[in-house]
Amino acid sequence: MSSQPRCPHCRHFLYLDTLVCPNCEAELGFHMLSRQFYGLRNNRTVIAERTWYTCSNRDWACNWLVRDDAPAGRCFSCRLTRTRPAADDTVALQKLASTEEAKRRLILQLASLGLPIVGWDLKPGGLGFDLISSLTDGRPVMIGHANGIITIDLAESLDDRREALRVRLGEPYRTILGHLRHEVGHYYQNVLLTDDAAWAQCRAMFGDERASYQDALKRHYAMGAPENWHESFISEYATMHPWEDFAETFAHYLHITGTLQTAAAIGIRLDAAVTSLRDADVVPRESYEDEPIQRLLTDWEWMSQAFNRINRSMGFRDLYPFELVAPVRRKLGFMHEIVTKAPLTSEEQMAMAAPWDEERT
Ligand SMILES: [Zn+2]
Ligand SMILES: [Zn+2]
Ligand SMILES: [Zn+2]
């Protein structure tokens, strides 16, 4: 069974951001809980005897559906956006649309991993997004995370700016989705590590996060990463401070599981007869929740090599330009452990099951 999204009318394959079926031209809305597209009539559809409407940000390309009782008609993802450009800043709003698309992909992945998502408007320290542009008034916007709120500079959705930064910083990979996956790692470090034992394990793996961040920042930008960083870290940035190592590793856990999930949904598998180094096909899974980390990493080793070769055949850089050395694999194992055992408290379960029930008092 594949959960590849398809048009409900003509069964054509759809991308996650589809608004109108490219084959039969039906207006479509995406229902996040079932991960399925529904056909719309007068901007609405009926799912399980309830009416669902298009999100009020549909003009800015949001294709998610909202239940009839959602306040302000904003979908679960749009509601998590705390700050956005002013209504008359249409240049910034255009960039917002592509950033929101990456954010919806993130939210969908967090939900399918079973991670709790409690919005900033429901709980202090809850997850929220300030999506603002440094081009609006020329003031710099620091991409980062503080107390549940993730700040993204929408100017980074411009290819020339982002690519210039990537080259200047010597990074092999820089995308808005990558920023979101990194910053949400900071958020989940506090959410998922709930007792002293978990923090002790985390410190043994990533180092003591109580070390001065300011000193680390200064040192990193003055001296750069240590020469041998790739022997124990996934990226140069991860060497800066234990917080950053955690967030970088978390981002890679999302890169890997997200890409394998897509591969599984499409039905991609590697034939053992062709790979010939293995006696069984490589079959990616939509979920690795019940699998050991070794299975996840072995599948990824094969699949990422295949994807890199596909990219090279089009003259692109590698899809996954990273090396997973043994210490990084152990850190990813730690992520697998805390993500698959993520405790859903009853309040959080409620928020997950019915994220539209905002009018709880
Ligand atoms: Zn169609
Ligand atoms: Zn929306
Ligand atoms: Zn960070």
Side-chain angles (χ1 to χ4, degrees):
M1 256 283 285
S2 153
S3 65
Q4 163 76 27
R6 286 173 178 270
C7 174
H9 299 296
C10 72
R11 308 304 296 158
H12 195 270
F13 278 141
L14 300 174
Y15 293 106
L16 277 178
D17 61 340
T18 301
L19 292 155
V20 175
C21 174
N23 186 48
C24 74
E25 294 179 6
E27 285 272 337
L28 301 172
F30 186 75
H31 182 241
M32 179 242 193
L33 292 181
S34 63
R35 300 178 72 98
Q36 281 183 31
F37 280 90
Y38 284 82
L40 303 174
R41 191 166 294 166
N42 298 326
N43 297 323
R44 73 186 72 165
T45 188
V46 174
I47 302 168
E49 295 177 13
R50 287 203 77 133
T51 304
W52 291 70
Y53 290 86
T54 52
C55 174
S56 57
N57 286 326
R58 192 169 172 96
D59 286 348
W60 294 109
C62 179
N63 65 350
W64 281 19
L65 294 168
V66 293
R67 217 167 62 184
D68 48 9
D69 54 353
R74 273 174 299 144
C75 73
F76 184 54
S77 173
C78 287
R79 267 187 42 209
L80 293 173
T81 299
R82 187 177 73 161
T83 313
R84 50 184 265 161
D88 58 358
D89 191 350
T90 50
V91 178
L93 283 171
Q94 263 154 18
K95 296 192 281 288
L96 177 72
S98 62
T99 301
E100 288 283 12
E101 183 196 327
K103 174 166 145 270
R104 286 193 298 278
R105 185 177 288 275
L106 172 80
I107 301 299
L108 199 58
Q109 183 181 16
L110 299 176
S112 70
L113 287 170
L115 288 168
I117 307 170
V118 182
W120 61 275
D121 51 345
L122 296 178
K123 180 174 153 185
L127 184 62
F129 296 82
D130 285 352
L131 306 179
I132 46 185
S133 174
S134 58
L135 294 176
T136 296
D137 54 14
R139 265 183 299 186
V141 172
M142 285 293 287
I143 295 175
H145 165 268
N147 196 28
I149 302 296
I150 290 170
T151 302
I152 296 288
D153 182 6
L154 296 174
E156 277 236 12
S157 68
L158 296 171
D159 291 345
D160 56 345
R161 287 179 72 97
R162 190 183 59 257
E163 185 63 7
L165 272 170
R166 185 190 72 74
V167 171
R168 202 175 77 212
L169 298 171
E171 297 172 344
Y173 170 90
R174 191 176 181 93
T175 65
I176 290 282
L177 182 60
H179 286 324
L180 290 167
R181 284 174 171 166
H182 171 102
E183 300 305 337
V184 91
H186 289 307
Y187 170 71
Y188 279 113
Q189 184 165 17
N190 286 315
V191 170
L192 298 181
L193 302 182
T194 47
D195 56 34
D196 291 346
W199 277 103
Q201 249 192 317
C202 183
R203 281 175 195 138
M205 192 72 76
F206 296 91
D208 194 332
E209 83 292 345
R210 292 165 296 191
S212 162
Y213 191 86
Q214 285 310 318
D215 292 353
L217 197 67
K218 263 186 237 152
R219 191 182 57 241
H220 183 74
Y221 285 107
M223 298 159 64
E227 190 110 343
N228 60 347
W229 65 268
H230 53 266
E231 289 169 16
S232 29
F233 294 91
I234 188 66
S235 68
E236 293 189 43
Y237 193 64
T239 66
M240 185 174 102
H241 188 274
W243 287 122
E244 300 306 341
D245 193 14
F246 185 97
E248 282 287 89
T249 309
F250 191 89
H252 277 264
Y253 185 77
L254 296 185
H255 289 329
I256 294 168
T257 51
T259 307
L260 287 173
Q261 185 184 33
T262 301
I266 298 166
I268 296 178
R269 56 168 62 200
L270 302 181
D271 188 336
V274 177
T275 57
S276 77
L277 292 168
R278 250 174 90 101
D279 47 13
D281 290 353
V282 180
V283 185
R285 293 176 164 251
E286 294 209 28
S287 166
Y288 285 83
E289 197 180 339
D290 301 320
E291 299 290 337
I293 182 70
Q294 289 76 14
R295 166 78 201 267
L296 171 69
L297 293 177
T298 304
D299 283 0
W300 182 242
E301 202 175 313
W302 285 97
M303 294 306 298
S304 61
Q305 281 174 35
F307 294 139
N308 286 350
R309 291 173 66 179
I310 287 172
N311 268 28
R312 289 180 189 202
S313 67
M314 273 296 290
F316 286 123
R317 287 194 307 271
D318 285 346
L319 179 91
Y320 190 72
F322 300 96
E323 198 192 345
L324 297 179
V325 293
V328 172
R329 296 166 76 94
R330 283 197 291 275
K331 291 177 200 175
L332 286 165
F334 179 81
M335 294 303 168
H336 192 53
E337 177 111 2
I338 61 172
V339 168
T340 51
K341 290 192 177 51
L344 290 168
T345 68
S346 59
E347 185 205 7
E348 285 161 341
Q349 256 165 342
M350 250 168 39
M352 273 309 297
W356 295 271
D357 285 348
E358 192 180 44
E359 268 155 342
R360 279 180 285 138
T361 47

